[in-house]
Amino acid sequence: MRAFISQANEDGRLRLRILLSLLLLSASLYAGAGEWLPLDNDGVHDPSSPAVKRLMEPRDGLSGLAPDDVGNQVRWPQALDQGQINPRTNLLPETKVEVLDKDILLDLYGSMPIVRFPHRIHTLWLNCNNCHEHLFKSKTGATDISMLNILDGEQCGLCHGAVAFPLSKCDRCHSVSRNIPKVKSGGAGEIKETGK
């Protein structure tokens, strides 16, 4: 009986996590492109603080960049590729920057379109050790990636939904048709040299 109650509690917590995640995703769909709240009305900054007046308003700093219809209203990869921004690649001169131009296909056997993970755009911003080996193992197929974990702010969800595009844009990750040849590698495959 105790095991049954424990399983019921775990099922309830899982359902609650899924419901909360879906509510957060649907809330993020209501932002329109180029609509930034003023800093003194964004619910993050203290409007009574004199420091707020010293900060640049988001619309002033972001409106000239590649537009997006979600998140902070900027398509950061396009802004980078179009030369609209030129972020530092490293803070310390001895840091070696390694841009990896290799895509990984994930979730080859599910019902959603296949996930294409583009290393290039991630390694333009991040060092490999930001994700490997603690979030994801380097060996293809060695990490069990789960949408529940992602929606819970783990794995990809550590950035997506926080500083990168929100999880409500399913088709940005689930972007490859299922009508491609199967790859024998335990649910993940590699595509080398994307030519992007």
Side-chain angles (χ1 to χ4, degrees):
M1 182 65 162
R2 180 177 273 163
F4 175 76
I5 292 171
S6 175
Q7 182 61 43
N9 286 339
E10 184 60 32
D11 289 346
R13 282 192 293 270
L14 177 61
R15 285 190 187 108
L16 181 60
R17 280 173 49 198
I18 292 170
L19 177 63
L20 289 173
S21 298
L22 290 173
L23 286 172
L24 287 171
L25 287 174
S26 63
S28 69
L29 294 173
Y30 289 104
E35 297 175 12
W36 294 278
L37 291 173
L39 293 174
D40 60 3
N41 192 28
D42 66 1
V44 175
H45 298 87
D46 178 0
S48 65
S49 171
V52 168
K53 304 289 185 249
R54 299 190 64 153
L55 297 172
M56 180 184 290
E57 289 290 341
R59 74 176 166 276
D60 297 335
L62 303 175
S63 62
L65 300 177
D68 201 346
D69 59 350
V70 294
N72 59 20
Q73 312 302 314
V74 176
R75 251 346 248 268
W76 293 105
Q78 283 77 357
L80 182 63
D81 286 343
Q82 294 169 10
Q84 297 172 339
I85 58 173
N86 187 21
R88 293 181 188 175
T89 55
N90 57 328
L91 295 175
L92 305 172
E94 64 273 8
T95 303
K96 181 183 175 213
V97 177
E98 180 183 351
V99 176
L100 182 61
D101 193 11
K102 176 172 69 170
D103 289 355
I104 302 290
L105 296 181
L106 306 165
D107 190 24
L108 298 181
Y109 307 110
S111 60
M112 290 282 293
I114 296 168
V115 171
R116 177 188 304 268
F117 176 80
H119 270 96
R120 179 185 168 273
I121 195 60
H122 290 85
T123 56
L124 284 170
W125 299 97
L126 301 166
N127 189 303
C128 299
N129 65 13
N130 279 270
C131 300
H132 297 292
E133 294 295 314
H134 59 289
L135 294 176
F136 306 100
K137 301 297 180 202
S138 294
K139 182 178 179 349
T140 302
T143 303
D144 183 25
I145 300 172
S146 153
M147 274 310 298
L148 284 176
N149 290 343
I150 293 169
L151 290 168
D152 217 16
E154 300 171 24
Q155 297 174 327
C156 309
L158 201 61
C159 293
H160 288 279
V163 296
F165 67 80
L167 299 170
S168 58
K169 300 300 276 186
C170 305
D171 61 336
R172 291 200 188 166
C173 296
H174 292 272
S175 61
V176 179
S177 168
R178 292 226 164 252
N179 299 326
I180 64 168
K182 301 278 187 204
V183 177
K184 293 182 181 179
S185 66
E190 295 185 14
I191 298 177
K192 296 183 181 176
E193 298 304 316
T194 61
K196 293 179 185 171

